Amino acid sequence: MEQTVSYTLDSTLETVDHAEEKATRIATELGFGEDEVMQISMAVREGAVNAVLHGNAYAPDKKVILAFQRTPEDLVITIRDQGKGIDLSGIPNPLAPENLLKTSGRGIFLMRSFMDVVEIRPSQTGTEIKLIKHVHGRSAGVKEGSQ
Amino acid sequence: MSMKLSTRQVDGVTIVDCSGRITLGEGSVMMRDTVRDLLAKGNKKIILNLGDVNYIDSSGIGELVSAFTTTKNQGGELKLLNLTKKVHDLLQITKLYTVFDVKEDETAAVKAFK
């Protein structure tokens, strides 16, 4: 994988699946373990769902920009939509007893559960979600000469 | 792998064998339609066998919650059976594991209905 790869995607359900597939492939190529690959791919899927559904609201003229950046310490994933910007204060805690039986509202919680850092920057021209996974132990993306 | 569902009856209980992915889109819609059809036909003792479900996202979790509450609101009962580790872990971190009635053995799950 190059240092940074970026994709411009339509606001469709297929984009959600494609984003997840790309995350799975890239995280696997970088050497993350099976559980971490699942966590990264699920976090990206949830971010893509937010961008397509809540950000761009399926608008055909609005795009989702998905970028993967490899740094020495981290895999940094950025998901940007072109919507009106989400209201973070309006997102309830899904673990609160009164919210446990709600059928939605767990996406950002899952992203925060699975990634080391989650930054959400809403603006009037869209929302940017940055997902960071640290490279633990044996460096992801570095092949060992012997075992 | 997309979602596949099949239903069977055991001692008056409907077991829905699920396989694949319960995710936003087709998988969630299939789950919703199946449970609603069962309830509409008077099948109010339902077990969702998730033994072959290898992936579930937040929409899928929402669909499980919806199936649970819809069944309960119609006087029925819904249990989950054979959770994979991934689904088990997801229900743990979302604090839903103790909300659902989760079983590991089909015979015991069938007998557990009142």
Side-chain angles (χ1 to χ4, degrees):
Chain A
M1 177 184 162
E2 296 174 11
Q3 286 295 92
T4 303
V5 288
S6 177
Y7 305 91
T8 301
L9 305 165
D10 292 330
S11 300
T12 62
L13 272 185
E14 287 73 27
T15 282
V16 175
D17 291 333
H18 291 161
E20 178 196 335
E21 289 162 11
K22 292 179 198 309
T24 300
R25 179 176 54 78
I26 288 169
T28 301
E29 285 174 1
L30 288 177
F32 283 99
E34 185 182 347
D35 286 348
E36 286 181 316
V37 169
M38 191 278 293
Q39 292 174 342
I40 292 165
S41 69
M42 184 171 278
V44 169
R45 181 179 182 85
E46 297 297 340
V49 167
N50 268 332
V52 169
L53 268 70
H54 306 303
N56 291 349
Y58 293 112
D61 59 326
K62 292 180 178 173
K63 302 294 180 187
V64 176
I65 295 95
L66 170 66
F68 298 86
Q69 183 186 14
R70 172 73 169 95
T71 74
E73 295 85 21
D74 299 317
L75 171 62
V76 181
I77 303 160
T78 309
I79 304 166
R80 197 178 319 127
D81 65 53
Q82 298 175 328
K84 295 176 181 174
I86 59 171
D87 177 12
L88 289 174
S89 66
I91 299 173
N93 174 10
L95 301 186
E98 66 272 21
N99 296 327
L100 277 184
L101 289 180
K102 288 193 172 169
T103 56
S104 61
R106 296 181 177 85
I108 291 174
F109 168 78
L110 289 179
M111 283 186 257
R112 289 190 166 130
S113 299
F114 290 148
M115 301 301 284
D116 293 310
V117 179
V118 176
E119 297 171 359
I120 303 173
R121 295 192 189 93
S123 77
Q124 291 182 338
T125 56
T127 298
E128 180 182 281
I129 298 177
K130 185 175 280 188
L131 307 169
I132 299 176
K133 194 75 167 174
H134 301 319
V135 177
H136 297 291
R138 282 187 260 182
S139 297
V142 177
K143 292 179 182 174
E144 294 193 339
S146 61
Q147 301 216 346
Chain B
M1 181 181 171
S2 58
M3 176 86 168
K4 287 183 183 171
L5 298 175
S6 61
T7 61
R8 54 193 167 92
Q9 296 288 328
V10 178
D11 294 339
V13 175
T14 304
I15 299 177
V16 183
D17 294 309
C18 314
S19 64
R21 296 159 55 97
I22 310 176
T23 56
L24 179 71
E26 189 184 4
S28 293
V29 172
M30 282 178 69
M31 170 74 72
R32 189 181 319 153
D33 289 348
T34 299
V35 171
R36 285 183 181 172
D37 283 351
L38 288 172
L39 292 170
K41 291 172 183 168
N43 299 299
K44 296 189 176 180
K45 296 176 179 176
I46 300 171
I47 294 173
L48 298 181
N49 178 9
L50 303 179
D52 288 324
V53 171
N54 50 29
Y55 195 97
I56 185 167
D57 66 3
S58 66
S59 298
I61 294 171
E63 217 49 63
L64 291 181
V65 171
S66 175
F68 176 78
T69 55
T70 304
T71 305
K72 198 173 179 183
N73 290 341
Q74 296 194 24
E77 208 175 326
L78 182 140
K79 301 180 192 300
L80 304 183
L81 176 66
N82 290 333
L83 302 188
T84 58
K85 183 179 181 301
K86 285 178 186 171
V87 176
H88 175 278
D89 290 349
L90 267 180
L91 294 188
Q92 284 279 13
I93 63 172
T94 53
K95 290 194 174 180
L96 286 168
Y97 189 78
T98 53
V99 171
F100 289 112
D101 189 358
V102 180
K103 302 292 183 186
E104 295 178 0
D105 177 75
E106 182 176 310
T107 305
V110 171
K111 282 184 180 172
F113 279 90
K114 294 160 191 164

